């Protein structure tokens, strides 16, 4: 097991140095051929990476997704050629030398930054600085949680990350290292590429931070080494593996190491070295080989590392085969939610249709979660210090704590961005379905990691409550106006805004079944009546929008609304009918994205041909697609205000009377 494994005996020093030089040569040659990229970081961290991969890391390129592998995260994703060079040298089947020669070209696997799912062995998408180290925290937490459930025979691995100065300057890094230190995530080891260079020049232009002191203050085990002294790096990794805390190894390096004229300069950060400097570098490091050529003995030594990983994987498979936990472990890692979850949600809907339950949709979410969490232990929840506002904890959920990882609920603290990135890591690691809560307004703070959730296609559920001016007295700082438009503009993200308890349960079901995309549940603070009249086995929200109220005669106007405004639209339709004899249909549209996926005939049948009015206590942006050039919007034209919710709806004219007046103006 990793926790008790000593470092492997190193290869001959000259050969190990040549192994590192192979990385340098491949990096500078690939960037030069592409005339684009970042050679400095791969060249500077080549020695550290060589020691890590040649002596410590357990991976198997022939089966890169075996569950107990060590995770490697290149947080400084601009140095992607470090990872691609490693993958070629280790023998990943999808990374022949031709892929390095096509670096940053359309259709190649060697994208400008590492992209999850784009090439084998890439554990997470990185590039936006700080995301990798923060995602690695989630991976390390998932490892501890999965080990607590299934034992060290099946789960016993490390998460390694390489971060640069930029990663540590980004604000999300503070959230991540604080959380990791608090939770004592001892299987997390971060290498800081301490080269003191950023794009603009020396880091002293913009920071005087004592990074080791910062990590120590957050509860990390911290060491500082010469990043080009391979024995010092190896000794530091051995010490880090024995620590009971997460570890930072500050590796003092020279950016562009080996380049005789440009090494140590910001000029190597994000531009090719040029033919003359590359020739000089070859001579300087003793690399007398043509571009993209790696001698057989060096390549053979790198491929032996892959054989070591294959042996470790086979030994693990034997332990798995003999384990009484095998079936439960494999089901968890596969992310297979039992049918009991969806049966429970079906029973939940039936019960509350009969009761006509009136609650806020945040409360409806809590109630639905009670049924979900009782039916499976794969869901793990959390909140950014808003547990009893988001209502994300349910009966029987024990809390994760330092040295106690057997629970299911994570207190992320006031760290929305860090929470989202950690959930990315938990989902990528496997074994759990994470959900986490905050106020919708603070999607702004979590946005960078939420975007990566969508880009990577991860099943992560964002529970975002207090979704409109309906939150009331907290005022415009907390009242989301533009956030729905921002989230809806994000590809591969389902944004659900349910209107009542039944739609809330339906949206939870859809989020859990969306295995290749994240979901945002947008939930109200204020109580909402149940709007469905009858129970049905059909999940009507699955079509994104549906006719909630259809007049018996030909409709004269269609009112389209989401969430808490559906109730208002229904009241407006009733007013139009009783006071003016106007037949108004009401369409509930809980998920634009799913409605877009329906065929044209279905969309036409729902929207109809009558004039349309959209109602939503948010900004108009995007609604014109559904209401057309002649449609009307009833909603927000600016920021909110501080007052009780009913007063705000009247003040901003989002009322049945205002909707009815808009309809009369539109059709008469």
């Amino acid at each position: 097991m990793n926790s008790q494994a000593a470092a492997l005996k190193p290869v001959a020093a000259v050969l190990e140095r040549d192994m590192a030089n192979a990385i340098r040569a491949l990096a500078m040659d690939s960037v030069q051929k592409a005339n684009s990229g970042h050679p400095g970081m791969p060249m500077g961290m080549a020695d550290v990476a060589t020691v890590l991969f040649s002596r410590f890391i357990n991976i198997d390129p022939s089966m890169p997704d075996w569950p107990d592998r060590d995770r490697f995260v290149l947080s400084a994703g601009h140095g992607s050629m470090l990872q691609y060079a490693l993958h070629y040298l280790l023998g990943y089947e999808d990374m022949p030398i031709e892929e390095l020669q096509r670096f940053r070209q359309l259709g190649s696997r060697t994208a400008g930054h590492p992209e999850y799912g784009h090439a084998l062995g890439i554990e997470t998408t990185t590039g936006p600085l700080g995301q990798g180290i923060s995602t690695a925290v989630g991976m390390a937490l998932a490892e501890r949680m999965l080990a607590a459930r299934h034992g060290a025979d099946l789960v016993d691995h490390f998460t390694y990350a390489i971060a640069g100065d930029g990663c540590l300057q980004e604000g999300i890094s503070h959230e991540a290292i604080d959380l990791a230190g608090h939770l004592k995530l001892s299987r997390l080891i971060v290498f800081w590429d301490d080269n003191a260079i950023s794009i603009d020049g020396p880091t002293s232009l913009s920071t005087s931070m004592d990074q080791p002191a910062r990590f120590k203050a957050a509860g990390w085990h911290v060491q500082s080494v010469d990043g080009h002294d391979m024995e010092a790096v190896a000794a530091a990794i051995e010490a880090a593996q024995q620590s009971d805390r997460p570890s930072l190894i500050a590796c003092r390096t020279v950016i562009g190491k080996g380049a005789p004229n440009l090494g140590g300069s910001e000029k190597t950060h994000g531009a090719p070295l040029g033919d003359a400097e590359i020739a000089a570098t070859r001579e300087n490091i003793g690399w007398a080989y043509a571009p993209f050529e790696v001698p057989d003995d060096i390549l053979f030594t790198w491929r032996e590392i892959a054989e070591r990983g294959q042996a470790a994987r086979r030994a693990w498979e034997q332990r798995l085969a003999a384990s009484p936990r095998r079936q439960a472990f494999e089901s968890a890692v596969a992310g297979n939610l039992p049918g009991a979850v969806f049966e429970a949600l079906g029973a939940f809907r039936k019960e509350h249709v009969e009761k006509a339950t009136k609650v806020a949709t945040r409360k409806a979410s809590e109630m639905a979660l009670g049924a979900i969490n009782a039916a499976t232990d794969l869901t793990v929840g959390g909140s950014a210090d808003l547990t009893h506002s988001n209502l994300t904890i349910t009966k029987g959920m024990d809390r994760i704590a330092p040295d106690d990882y057997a629970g299911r609920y994570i207190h992320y603290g006031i760290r929305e961005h860090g929470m989202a990135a950690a959930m990315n890591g938990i989902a990528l690691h496997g074994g759990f379905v994470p959900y986490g809560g905050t106020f919708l307004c603070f999607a702004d703070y979590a946005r960078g990691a939420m975007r990566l959730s969508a880009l990577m296609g991860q099943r992560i559920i964002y529970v975002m409550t207090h979704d409109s001016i309906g939150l009331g007295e907290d005022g415009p700082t907390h009242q989301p106006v533009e956030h729905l438009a921002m989230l809806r503009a994000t590809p591969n993200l389902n944004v659900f805004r349910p209107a009542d308890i039944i739609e809330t349960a339906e949206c939870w079901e859809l989020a859990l079944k969306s295995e290749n995309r994240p979901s945002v549940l947008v939930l109200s603070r204020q109580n909402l009546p149940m709007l469905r009249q009858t129970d049905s086995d059909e999940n009507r929200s699955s079509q994104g929008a549906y006719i909630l109220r259809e007049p018996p005669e030909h409709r004269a106007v269609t009112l389209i609304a989401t969430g808490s405004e559906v109730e208002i639209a229904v009241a407006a339709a009733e007013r139009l009918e009783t006071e003016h004899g106007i037949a108004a249909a009401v369409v509930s549209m809980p998920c634009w994205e799913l409605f877009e996926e329906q065929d044209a005939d279905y969309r036409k049948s729902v929207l109809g041909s009558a004039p349309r009015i959209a109602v939503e206590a948010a900004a108009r942006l995007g609604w014109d697609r559904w209401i057309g050039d002649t449609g009307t919007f009833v909603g927000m034209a600016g920021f909110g205000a501080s007052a009780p919710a009913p007063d705000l709806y009247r003040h901003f004219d989002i009322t049945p009377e205002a909707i009815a007046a808009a309809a009369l103006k539109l059709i008469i």
Side-chain angles (χ1 to χ4, degrees):
M1 292 180 285
N2 277 328
S3 59
Q4 300 171 348
L8 296 181
K9 183 177 179 180
V11 296
V14 172
L15 183 54
E16 196 168 33
R17 187 68 63 189
D18 285 343
M19 293 170 69
N21 283 336
I23 296 173
R24 292 187 173 96
L26 290 171
M28 67 182 183
D29 288 343
S30 297
V31 172
Q32 184 68 23
K33 187 173 187 347
N35 195 30
S36 175
H38 301 76
M41 180 275 198
M43 296 174 73
M45 286 297 284
D47 298 323
V48 173
T50 297
V51 172
L52 174 62
F53 278 80
S54 67
R55 305 195 201 184
F56 293 93
I57 204 164
N58 273 326
I59 56 170
D60 178 8
S62 71
M63 189 174 287
D65 60 349
W66 66 288
D68 201 35
R69 68 194 180 278
D70 289 335
R71 270 61 170 182
F72 173 69
V73 174
L74 187 64
S75 189
H78 55 276
S80 57
M81 266 311 306
L82 175 68
Q83 184 150 28
Y84 302 144
L86 286 166
H87 283 204
Y88 164 68
L89 293 167
L90 291 165
Y92 281 82
E93 65 178 4
D94 69 338
M95 199 59 65
I97 196 66
E98 290 79 11
E99 287 296 328
L100 274 61
Q101 293 168 340
R102 297 200 303 137
F103 179 51
R104 289 187 161 221
Q105 304 308 300
L106 183 64
S108 74
R109 294 187 180 90
T110 46
H113 294 84
E115 296 182 24
Y116 173 79
H118 200 66
L120 298 174
I122 295 176
E123 301 287 359
T124 182
T125 296
T126 58
L129 294 176
Q131 291 294 331
I133 184 176
S134 306
T135 302
V137 169
M139 293 178 179
L141 176 56
E143 189 274 342
R144 291 290 78 197
M145 293 169 65
L146 206 62
R149 294 189 181 193
H150 299 284
D153 280 351
L154 299 184
V155 185
D156 184 22
H157 55 264
F158 286 91
T159 299
Y160 299 100
I162 291 179
D165 291 297
C167 292
L168 301 192
Q169 287 184 44
E170 287 286 357
I172 190 175
S173 73
H174 182 78
E175 299 182 21
I177 68 171
D178 190 4
L179 181 62
H182 171 72
L183 291 176
K184 297 183 179 179
L185 300 180
S186 59
R187 298 309 180 84
L188 175 62
I189 299 175
V190 174
F191 302 90
W192 170 32
D193 179 18
D194 178 18
N195 60 32
I197 292 293
S198 61
I199 293 175
D200 284 354
T203 54
S204 59
L205 290 171
S206 59
T207 181
S208 301
M209 177 66 70
D210 184 338
Q211 292 290 358
R214 181 165 76 113
F215 277 79
K216 285 179 183 177
W220 286 54
H221 174 252
V222 176
Q223 303 170 82
S224 297
V225 299
D226 177 349
H228 304 302
D229 182 339
M230 291 182 163
E231 295 310 316
V233 171
I237 296 173
E238 284 191 285
Q241 287 186 336
Q242 300 306 313
S243 176
D244 62 354
R245 293 171 287 159
S247 288
L248 175 75
I249 303 176
C251 304
R252 188 63 172 171
T253 61
V254 176
I255 190 170
K257 172 71 172 177
N261 302 303
L262 298 180
S265 165
E266 69 275 9
K267 293 179 181 178
T268 69
H269 171 84
L273 298 183
D275 292 332
E277 184 71 1
I278 286 177
T281 302
R282 277 186 154 75
E283 182 176 354
N284 190 44
I285 66 176
W287 192 259
Y289 310 105
F292 299 102
E293 180 184 343
V294 178
D296 289 344
D297 58 338
I298 296 175
L299 192 59
F300 176 78
T301 306
W302 273 109
R303 298 288 162 89
E304 282 187 320
I305 297 171
E307 293 177 8
R308 182 189 82 214
Q310 189 175 76
R313 187 258 302 171
R314 287 173 175 166
W316 175 84
E317 287 177 337
Q318 291 177 352
R319 297 196 300 274
L320 176 66
S323 173
R325 298 285 306 170
R326 177 177 181 174
Q327 184 175 356
F329 177 81
E330 290 181 333
S331 180
V333 169
N336 295 330
L337 290 168
V341 170
F342 306 109
E343 293 170 5
L345 284 172
F348 178 91
R349 295 201 304 267
K350 180 177 176 61
E351 173 190 355
H352 290 287
V353 163
E354 293 173 354
K355 291 180 177 180
T357 303
K358 179 178 181 177
V359 291
T361 51
R362 64 168 176 159
K363 181 64 177 178
S365 171
E366 179 191 44
M367 295 163 69
L369 269 172
I372 293 164
N373 290 338
T376 181
D377 64 357
L378 294 187
T379 47
V380 293
S383 171
D385 199 54
L386 289 167
T387 293
H388 300 295
S389 290
N390 301 145
L391 304 181
T392 40
I393 196 168
T394 61
K395 184 178 180 180
M397 293 185 82
D398 293 329
R399 293 168 167 84
I400 298 295
D403 300 319
D404 183 1
Y405 309 104
R408 297 175 61 187
Y409 195 81
I410 305 163
H411 289 279
Y412 288 104
I414 308 163
R415 307 181 182 102
E416 294 88 355
H417 203 177
M419 175 182 73
M423 288 198 294
N424 282 340
I426 292 169
L428 288 161
H429 180 278
F432 306 99
V433 178
Y435 68 87
T438 187
F439 288 177
L440 177 60
C441 199
F442 303 136
D444 284 341
Y445 286 174
R447 165 67 178 166
M450 294 179 72
R451 184 174 188 268
L452 290 187
S453 304
L455 184 59
M456 294 187 288
Q458 294 302 297
R459 178 172 51 180
I460 294 164
I461 302 168
Y462 293 95
V463 180
M464 296 197 159
T465 68
H466 296 61
D467 69 343
S468 71
I469 59 170
L471 74 87
E473 292 85 346
D474 277 347
T477 59
H478 286 57
Q479 292 167 3
V481 174
E482 71 276 27
H483 299 74
L484 285 169
M486 175 266 289
L487 293 170
R488 287 167 176 160
T490 305
N492 201 43
L493 177 68
N494 282 343
V495 182
F496 295 102
R497 190 166 187 246
D500 64 4
I501 190 171
I502 304 305
E503 283 192 3
T504 302
E506 290 179 337
C507 292
W508 261 110
E509 177 182 322
L510 294 166
L512 291 170
K513 288 182 175 179
S514 298
E515 297 184 8
N516 298 310
R517 69 175 71 173
S519 300
V520 182
L521 297 178
V522 178
L523 306 170
S524 75
R525 178 178 184 265
Q526 70 270 39
N527 288 342
L528 300 176
M530 195 202 72
L531 299 172
R532 295 279 182 89
Q533 301 302 312
T534 59
D535 179 46
S536 171
D537 291 336
E538 178 189 8
N539 184 326
R540 301 194 72 187
S541 296
S542 67
Q543 294 173 306
Y546 62 94
I547 301 171
L548 177 66
R549 183 187 189 276
E550 181 76 282
E553 56 192 85
H554 180 72
R555 66 171 91 165
V557 65
T558 300
L559 310 180
I560 312 169
T562 75
S564 48
E565 287 71 68
V566 177
E567 171 194 11
I568 300 172
V570 169
E574 292 171 352
R575 175 182 290 268
L576 285 167
E577 181 179 349
T578 58
E579 296 183 8
H580 303 283
I582 292 174
V586 176
V587 171
S588 179
M589 188 179 279
C591 184
W592 288 21
E593 295 77 22
L594 293 182
F595 188 59
E596 289 181 53
E597 293 176 3
Q598 307 308 307
D599 61 47
D601 288 341
Y602 178 76
R603 294 199 303 269
K604 184 177 180 180
S605 71
V606 170
L607 296 175
S609 57
R612 302 168 196 162
I613 298 174
V615 188
E616 190 170 65
R620 177 173 183 151
L621 187 65
W623 270 110
D624 290 278
R625 172 170 185 183
W626 307 121
I627 61 178
D629 293 339
T630 59
T632 298
F633 177 73
V634 175
M636 298 296 292
F639 293 109
S642 176
D647 294 346
L648 291 172
Y649 274 88
R650 286 191 294 270
H651 175 74
F652 289 109
D653 230 13
I654 307 174
T655 63
E657 295 82 1
I659 298 167
L664 291 172
K665 184 177 180 181
L666 193 62
I667 62 180
I668 294 177

